[in-house]
Structures are given as structure tokens and as C-alpha cells.
Amino acid sequence: MKQTWLIALAMVAGPLQAQQLPTVTLEEAVRRAQQALPTVVQARSSVRTAEAQVRSAKGAYLPSLTANTTGATNFSAGPSRTDPVTQQVISGDRTSTSVSMGLSASVDLFTGFRRGADSRSARATRSAAEASLTDQEFQAALSATQQFFDALAAQQLLAVREASVKLAEQQLVISVAKLRVGQATRSDSLRSLVNLGTAQSNLITARSDMARTQALLGRTIGVDGRVQATDDSAFYQTSVVLDTTQLTQEALARSPQVQAAEASAMAANASVRSAKAQYFPTLALSGNTSWSGNNSLDYQFFASRGLTLALSWPIFNRFQREQTIENRLAALDNAEAGAADAKRNVQASLATQYAALDAARARIDISHTSIEAAQEDLRVVNARYQAGAATILDVLTSQQALAQAQVDAVNARFDYLKAKAQIEALIGRHL
């Protein structure tokens, strides 16, 4: 009766029914993330804004042209009067309507080199925006890759935990059977039951982790709800050998983070030159032509034209120029410091990921050996237990060692893949 109760208690926490979830490959996850993540959308908007700024800077060399037209009706009320020439009586209550139209144009002939500095600043800003977009696309790819591998690892860990539960259930059945025939003690059955409870608890945690990682993957790629990651045998090829010295030099030359920071520094430098242009005079040429007429002359239009050459030189503007220059010099210092720090950050991050990649590769090899050894040890211990030469504690210890070796293998594989993805995001290309 007690043995039956033990088996029934062990089977209470059965596996949950697997949900039918949408699946996604790594390539599709990366593509969706680059379309859905707000950081990438904002970076694309910044590129469009920067391109408009470049067009505006080029347009500063072109003349401006304005067309205008006016129509007015004037009412005047007052006493009647006599025209001194014609001696005609002019009514004081009369209406006069006039119409005018014209064109005006102006062009800056000299701006103290401000337009050139603004053009260089706009081009550098566009380069920084484009580099930032590339960086955000790789960061989106990195985020999607990490979430994808987290979900895939959780799915594989769930399979490991399910296998552990099956082993524990089988061991409980064996312990109960041996207890019935008097070849084992009641303690063996209780230990097997505790071991099964631990395995089921780990399985519940694995299910929870899988649901969490699949939900995060769905959010990252812009899909409502959970998404299942599709496995691929190509993920587990660890034969990539990296020339770390050459790769670091390449990263410093083409890393999107470094390129964006350096372009921002160039834009800040050009902005300083633009502010210093306020010390120079400006020379502008403007002209206009207009036509006007009114009802008293049957709307006969008369033309008028004008041409103006203006020189403007602000001698003193209450230190506003100096304040502008100091503000932009401070921004330049910050941008140059940011560019230098971006290089150091890339170097430090690459060194960290190189070490993580090598460590993960070594752990993969060790975990494969550990799994083979643990499987053989469990086979031997089970045989010895069946023969009465080993205790239940030996069997349970061997089962736990096998489960841990399998978990370590899964973690090592995906630590390797995530370290590789980090390196790709830093250098701006796929390995």
C-alpha cells in the first residue's frame, strides 16, 4: 500500500502539454528585430534628418527667391471737398482699391567661411548618423541573437530536465520493486522519491525559464506572445579560429561605434569653425522688382526695381559670440573624449569576448567528455545496484552528475555562440 502511494505521489507533477507556438529562425529573428526595435527606427530617422541638413547646408550657397502679392481696399469717410484744379466736388465717402505683386531675391556673397564650416559639419553629422544606424542594426542583431539563443538554450535545458525526470521515475519504480522483494530498504524508496521531486522541481523551473525567454524573444522581434527558436546544426561548429590582433585592428578601423564617435567629433570641430565665422563680416546681394496699380488708374501697373549690396560686420554683440564658441568648444572636447573612449571600449570588449570565446570552447570539449563519462558511470552503478553491490545514494549521485554535465554542455554551447555574436557586433560584420 505504501509503495503504491509513493508511485502515485511521484506521478502527480506530470509534464504540461506543449503549446503550439510560432517558430522563427535566427536570420528571420535578426531581420524582424532590425525592423521592430525603436532604437533602429530612431537611427533611420536620424539619417534622414542628417541628409536634410546636408541639403540645407548646400542650399546656403544658392539665392533665395520670394514671390508676393497684395490686394487692399481702403475706405475713407469725411467731409466733401473741392478739387483746387478742376473745381469738382470730391465726395468724402469713397473707396480706393490697389493691387501689387513682386519678386525678391537675395544671395550671400561672403559669410566669413561659415557656409563651408556648416557643410563640413552637416556631412560629418550624416556620417555619424549612418555609422550609428549601422551600429544600431548590429546591436539589434546582437539583441535578437542573444534572445534567440537564450530561448533555444531554455528549450534544450527543458529536454535535459525532462530526461532527468524520466530517469528518476524509472529509479523510483526499481526501488519500489526491490523493496517489495526485500532486496532494498524503505529508505531507498524515500530517497528515490526525494530525487524525483527535485527533478520535477527543476523541470518546473525550466518550463518557466523557457516561457520567459520565448516571450522576450517575441518582444525583441516585434511579435505578440511567445516565439519558439528553431535549432540548426550550424550553430554548433566551433572551428572558427580568430586572429585577435588583426581583428582588433579591423575593429578600431571599421567598428560602427568608433566611426560614429569619430564622425561626431569631426562635426563638433566644424561647428566650432562655424561659430568663429561670426567674427568676420558678411556680404549679401539682394534685389527686388514689383508691379502695383489701383482702380483710379484702371489698374495700370507700374514697375519698380531695386538692387542692394549690404555689408554687415558685428563689432561687439555683448560676448554672445564668445559664449557660443565656448559652448561648442566644450562639445568638441566631449566628442573627442567620447571618440577616444569608444576605441578603448571596443578594445576592452573584444579582449573580454576573446577570453569568453576561448573559455566556452574549452568548456564545450570538457562537457562532452563529462557527459560520456557520466553516462558510463550511471550504467555501471545501475548494474551494481541491481546486483546489490551499490547503494541507492550511489545511483542518485550518478544521475545528478549526468544531469549537471548535460546542463553544463548546453550552457557552454550557447556561451560560445553569444560571445561570437558580441564580437560580430563590435567589428560590424559577420565572422
Side-chain angles (χ1 to χ4, degrees):
M1 184 67 179
K2 292 182 178 179
Q3 291 85 349
T4 304
W5 174 80
L6 291 174
I7 296 175
L9 179 62
M11 301 302 175
V12 169
L16 298 175
Q17 293 293 330
Q19 298 182 15
Q20 294 297 326
L21 300 177
T23 60
V24 65
T25 63
L26 178 58
E27 292 75 12
E28 185 180 0
V30 170
R31 179 180 57 82
R32 285 174 174 251
Q34 290 176 340
Q35 295 175 349
L37 286 180
T39 53
V40 181
V41 176
Q42 292 171 2
R44 290 197 183 101
S45 299
S46 297
V47 171
R48 292 197 301 269
T49 302
E51 289 175 347
Q53 184 178 351
V54 171
R55 288 195 299 270
S56 177
K58 291 179 180 179
Y61 289 95
L62 303 176
S64 63
L65 181 63
T66 304
N68 58 77
T69 179
T70 59
T73 301
N74 299 323
F75 298 92
S76 175
S80 301
R81 62 185 178 85
T82 302
D83 189 307
V85 177
T86 63
Q87 299 300 315
Q88 292 181 350
V89 177
I90 301 175
S91 172
D93 187 8
R94 67 187 184 277
T95 300
S96 176
T97 303
S98 63
V99 178
S100 65
M101 64 189 70
L103 292 173
S104 61
S106 65
V107 61
D108 292 329
L109 302 179
F110 179 70
T111 60
F113 313 106
R114 174 182 54 80
R115 289 179 296 189
D118 287 344
S119 295
R120 289 190 294 273
S121 176
R123 290 193 297 269
T125 300
R126 181 180 60 185
S127 298
E130 291 172 345
S132 295
L133 174 59
T134 302
D135 180 50
Q136 289 301 326
E137 287 176 342
F138 271 92
Q139 292 300 321
L142 173 62
S143 178
T145 301
Q146 289 179 328
Q147 294 293 348
F148 181 90
F149 286 144
D150 284 343
L152 188 56
Q155 292 166 197
Q156 294 186 5
L157 288 174
L158 179 64
V160 171
R161 297 305 186 187
E162 288 175 343
S164 297
V165 169
K166 290 181 180 179
L167 280 176
E169 289 173 347
Q170 293 171 3
Q171 187 56 48
L172 177 60
V173 172
I174 293 172
S175 299
V176 171
K178 289 175 68 69
L179 177 61
R180 285 177 175 175
V181 298
Q183 294 179 357
T185 64
R186 185 169 179 269
S187 177
D188 288 359
S189 300
L190 293 175
R191 286 180 182 273
S192 298
L193 182 60
V194 171
N195 181 60
L196 177 57
T198 301
Q200 290 172 334
S201 177
N202 292 335
L203 178 59
I204 293 172
T205 301
R207 286 200 182 100
S208 176
D209 289 341
M210 185 180 69
R212 176 181 57 82
T213 55
Q214 289 177 341
L216 290 175
L217 175 60
R219 178 193 175 188
T220 301
I221 66 175
V223 175
D224 296 334
R226 295 163 54 183
V227 178
Q228 186 173 356
T230 302
D231 203 355
D232 190 339
S233 59
F235 295 152
Y236 312 114
Q237 298 175 2
T238 59
S239 59
V240 178
V241 178
L242 303 180
D243 185 346
T244 57
T245 301
Q246 181 179 356
L247 203 59
T248 301
Q249 292 175 352
E250 178 186 352
L252 293 177
R254 58 173 293 172
S255 169
Q257 296 180 18
V258 174
Q259 289 182 345
E262 289 180 342
S264 295
M266 293 175 58
N269 184 51
S271 180
V272 171
R273 293 177 180 270
S274 176
K276 290 181 178 180
Q278 298 181 54
Y279 285 108
F280 293 90
T282 60
L283 185 63
L285 178 66
S286 61
N288 64 80
T289 181
S290 63
W291 299 266
S292 60
N294 56 56
N295 61 335
S296 62
L297 298 175
D298 296 329
Y299 296 106
Q300 181 180 0
F301 286 92
F302 296 92
S304 63
R305 296 178 180 84
L307 186 66
T308 305
L309 181 64
L311 175 70
S312 175
W313 195 348
I315 305 300
F316 178 70
N317 64 349
R318 298 184 295 276
F319 304 110
Q320 293 180 4
R321 289 174 297 196
E322 287 73 15
Q323 180 181 356
T324 301
I325 292 172
E326 286 301 324
N327 291 340
R328 296 188 180 181
L329 283 173
L332 175 60
D333 291 341
N334 294 336
E336 290 177 341
D341 183 67
K343 291 183 177 181
R344 292 191 295 269
N345 178 62
V346 167
Q347 288 178 314
S349 298
L350 281 175
T352 301
Q353 297 308 321
Y354 293 155
L357 196 71
D358 292 338
R361 184 186 292 112
R363 286 166 48 213
I364 289 173
D365 296 335
I366 293 172
S367 64
H368 288 166
T369 304
S370 298
I371 290 175
E372 293 177 359
Q375 288 174 338
E376 179 62 19
D377 178 68
L378 180 60
R379 186 189 66 80
V380 173
V381 172
N382 276 330
R384 294 181 62 216
Y385 180 72
Q386 292 285 356
T391 65
I392 188 62
L393 184 60
D394 296 329
V395 176
L396 300 182
T397 300
S398 184
Q399 287 181 354
Q400 292 171 0
L402 175 59
Q404 187 60 49
Q406 292 170 333
V407 170
D408 291 342
V410 172
N411 290 333
R413 284 198 300 267
F414 289 101
D415 285 347
Y416 176 89
L417 292 172
K418 287 191 282 188
K420 181 182 174 184
Q422 289 274 9
I423 295 174
E424 291 175 344
L426 287 169
I427 65 176
R429 70 173 178 85
H430 298 290
L431 294 175

